[in-house]
Structures are given as C-alpha cells and as structure tokens.
Amino acid sequence: MRSMRENVEVVIIGAGPAGLTLANLLQRAGIGCVVLERQSRSYVEQRQRAGVLEHDGARVFEEWGLGESVLAGTSSDGRLEIRLDGRPRFFDVAALTDGRAGRVVPQQVLVQRLIATFVEGGGDLRFDAAEVTPHGLDGPAPAVTYTDADGGRHEIACAYVAGCDGFHGVSRASIPEGALTTYTYDHGVAWLTVLADALPPRHALFGIHPAGFAAQFARGPRASRFYLECGTADSLDEWGDERIWEQLRLRLGDPGLPTGPITEKLFVEMRCFVADPMSYGRLFLVGDAAHIITPMGGKGMNLAIADANVLARRLRAALREGDEGPLAAYSETCLKRVWDHQEFSRWMHEMMHEAGNVTLAGPFRRQLARARLERLFASDAAARAFADLMA
Ligand code: RFL
C-alpha cells in the first residue's frame, strides 16, 4: 500500500455548496487548497436540494469575479404567492427591497458550476475520498488523512482545515466533547418533500390550509419541489402518489395543478441545530457542519455560502497579511447571521403552519398567526421587514 504525504495551505473537507464556494474563493485569492469529498462526482452533481440563491449570495459570487461562471442564465424571481385557504395573495419582494431579490438556482446547478469553475482553474478536487480524518487540530501543524478509491493512503499537512462536510460529517465529530455548546430545536411536525417533473409555478408558492401547509418551488424550467406538512410518524407507504397530488390540489387550492412523474420522495425533519463556536483550533466549520435550519425561508444553502465568504476573506488575511485577528472572530461574525436566520425561519414556520392546521396550536394561536400574516399585507413597514429577510 502506497502512502503519500503532501503539503497545502488549506484542506477543505466536503464538496457541497459550502466547500465548493470556499474552494473557488480561495482559488481566486491565490490560496492553495485541496477538497476531499467522500462521494463520487456524479453523485454530488445530481443531489437536488435547495433552489433559491439569495441576493446576498449572488453578490458574493459577483464580488469575487465569479458572477458569469456561476450565475449565467439564472433569473431573479422577485415575487412570491401565499394562498390562504386557496385565495391568492401576492408579495413583491423586489419592489419592497429596491430590487434585491433571490434567484432560482437549483442547488445541483450551483454545485455543477462550482465544480467546473474550480477544476478549469486548476483546482484540486478529490472525489471518493474515504476515511477522511483530521489530526492535530489544536496544535500548530494540523493534517488530514484519507484513503483514495484505489486504497492508497494519503496525508496532507496544512495550515488550516475547513470542515464543510455537512451535518453528519467527520469535522464537527472530531472536536472534543465539551469544546462546543450545541443548541437543538424540533418543530414537532415533518414535511414530506416531493420532486416531480411538473411545471413549476410562476413564483414561489406557499399554501396555508386547514389540512396542513403545502408549498411549490421551481427547480428548473420543468421541475418542481413540493412540500407537504405531515405527521412525524408518517411513513412513505401512507403517501402514495395519488394522495400526494390530491393533498397538493387541496392545500394549494388548485384543482388543475399540473402533475408529472415523481422523481424523489422523502421526509424532511423540521429540526434546527447550532454549534457554538464554529471553530476549534485550526478547524473552521462552514455551512451545515455547524448549523442546520429547516427549509422554511430557504436559508440553509445561503448560510453555507455566507460562511464560506467570511472564512475565505479571513483566511486570506491570516495567510497573506499575517493577521489572524479576523479569523479568530470568524465564529462570532457568522453566528450573528445564523441566529438571525434561525429566528426568521421559525417565525415564518409558525405563521405558515399555525394559520392553517388548527390542531397544531389551537384556535387562539390560529387567529394570531392569521393576524401576523394580515399585517404583511396591511403594513408597509411589516412588509418591508419581511421582504428584507426573504430577499
Ligand atoms: P452539504 O450539502 O451537506 O455538503 C456536505 C458535503 O460533505 C460531504 N461529506 C464528506 N466528505 C468527506 N468526508 C466525510 N466524512 C464527509 N461527510 C460528508 C458530503 O458528501 C457532501 O458532499 O453541506 P453544505 O455544503 O454545508 O451545504 C448546505 C446545504 O446543502 C443545505 O443547507 C441545503 O441543502 C438545505 N436545504 C435548503 N436550503 C436552502 O437554502 N433552500 C432550500 O430550499 C433548501 N431546501 C434543503 C432543502 C435541504 C434538504 N435536505 C434533504 C437536507 C431541501 C431538502 C430536501
């Protein structure tokens, strides 16, 4: 068995939106990095999850000179629709935020483009890396070991490790117990999410209905992601295609809802998690490795990109200007945004669910949730505050 030892400035563990954004930004900054990904390239490129890149996320790519390669052909969607008991209400995010609005960028499209751009730029991206293990994180000379697809053992010495390997990754797990404070919250409901080759709605669509929450978002020109509130103990056997379409038609108030072949069905736990601090020694946690948030509000992928932007700038200061001060404050900076988005997502979750399904929190809370929703259409200040957080 051959064993190779290398040296690089930064090892990035994980090639999701967090790791790939960081890799591209470090490449632009002229900082050497290697990305180690457990899965194959095709697996990573097909993984369909999020679909909206916020205005600030798009700006990150533009500011680093990646606007053309990452955003070409994507369009911004400045409006959303909330159907309350089947009655449509439109909300113009772009008009309320002076043109700041998110873009429809399916996560797998973003990932494909980030991989292509990084590789074209000479980037070192290694798929099928097994047993990735960080070492010596609390000392001055960390390293990461892994096994390649042919069984070769590798050791990469580095100055810093970026843990971008998602919620179940090895990075956060390698931090000693007691070094992190973790916060968790469970919303007590679940969502069934369905990906279908069905014509998408013109705008992001949220349905509030006594039978439960539902939503439909574009995932490309001919694909939609649907969400259906369901019980936490539900099984896929209980959700045949027929029932899914019947419940979507009911909750979205659209008897003529375009249907199509369902290509994925899975349950999403409505669970939140935050680790504090988002670092340990020379390891920095980025994206889902440090925090997860429910899909309500579409913040998960955007937080990953925002973290990567902060970390790239601060690694550049440390490695090129010898200033480790900004890096030391990485976690504090990122956690402010994380908690702000967690608060917004929970606020929106409560409103969207409790205004519909009375069994969740009772009739009094149902009226409160409806009042909260009405305020968005009655008060310009409330509408602007909401749009600002959605943009
Ligand atoms: P990812 O995407 O999980 O990527 C982590 C990468 O690390 C790899 N990995 C390892 N590599 C090497 N060694 C190991 N030991 C490793 N362990 C793991 C993994 O294979 C993977 O490639 O995390 P990242 O980069 O932080 O990105 C986070 C986003 O993917 C996530 O927040 C969003 O997908 C969440 N999310 C949504 N976010 C939004 O902003 N808007 C949405 O509408 C939205 N919808 C969703 C979502 C997540 C979903 N699921 C299933 C979790 C819808 C769904 C269904």
Side-chain angles (χ1 to χ4, degrees), residues 193-385:
T193 180
V194 170
L195 203 56
D197 294 331
L199 277 184
R202 283 189 61 202
H203 312 295
L205 171 61
F206 298 84
I208 298 175
H209 191 274
F213 171 80
Q216 183 185 8
F217 305 114
R219 290 294 184 266
R222 309 200 62 78
S224 294
R225 182 175 283 290
F226 295 94
Y227 289 109
L228 281 158
E229 175 193 339
C230 63
T232 49
D234 283 12
S235 75
L236 283 181
D237 300 341
E238 298 166 59
W239 284 95
D241 294 7
E242 197 97 318
R243 181 177 174 207
I244 287 173
W245 292 118
E246 177 253 317
Q247 281 296 306
L248 285 169
R249 281 192 286 266
L250 174 73
R251 299 183 193 188
L252 296 174
D254 183 357
L257 181 75
T259 60
I262 290 177
T263 53
E264 180 192 281
K265 255 188 230 182
L266 56 96
F267 290 105
V268 180
E269 292 177 36
M270 298 304 278
R271 201 162 43 114
C272 307
F273 172 88
V274 179
D276 181 353
M278 290 168 54
S279 61
Y280 174 74
R282 292 186 162 250
L283 169 71
F284 295 88
L285 302 175
V286 188
D288 277 19
H291 41 74
I292 53 169
I293 186 165
T294 75
M296 182 63 92
K299 298 297 181 193
M301 181 175 83
N302 291 290
L303 280 174
I305 293 166
D307 289 350
N309 182 40
V310 174
L311 186 58
R313 289 173 192 277
R314 294 175 184 211
L315 284 172
R316 180 170 60 185
L319 288 162
R320 292 293 172 270
E321 293 146 34
D323 183 1
E324 283 208 330
L327 200 49
Y330 163 76
S331 174
E332 198 187 327
T333 302
C334 291
L335 283 173
K336 279 195 187 118
R337 184 186 296 102
V338 169
W339 283 115
D340 188 45
H341 285 15
Q342 292 280 10
E343 195 287 324
F344 172 64
S345 177
R346 179 184 143 76
W347 176 93
M348 191 170 168
H349 177 102
E350 243 177 45
M351 178 177 73
M352 292 283 184
H353 286 75
E354 293 180 10
N357 182 355
V358 74
T359 67
L360 285 178
F364 185 81
R365 292 272 292 253
R366 183 172 185 221
Q367 294 310 108
L368 292 186
R370 286 181 174 232
R372 193 184 276 186
L373 183 66
E374 282 306 319
R375 191 183 296 137
L376 298 183
F377 294 95
S379 154
D380 189 57
R384 282 183 189 278

Side-chain angles (χ1 to χ4, degrees), residues 88-151:
R89 319 273 296 259
F90 292 93
F91 199 87
D92 197 336
V93 175
L96 288 158
T97 55
D98 301 323
R100 285 172 63 233
R103 285 159 185 265
V104 178
V105 184
Q107 183 165 329
Q108 81 278 20
V109 171
L110 180 80
V111 161
Q112 287 162 16
R113 290 182 174 189
L114 287 171
I115 290 174
T117 309
F118 185 62
V119 171
E120 273 162 31
D124 191 343
L125 177 42
R126 305 179 190 178
F127 292 99
D128 303 302
E131 298 163 11
V132 174
T133 312
H135 305 270
L137 296 170
D138 52 354
V144 179
T145 54
Y146 75 98
T147 305
D148 67 28
D150 301 323

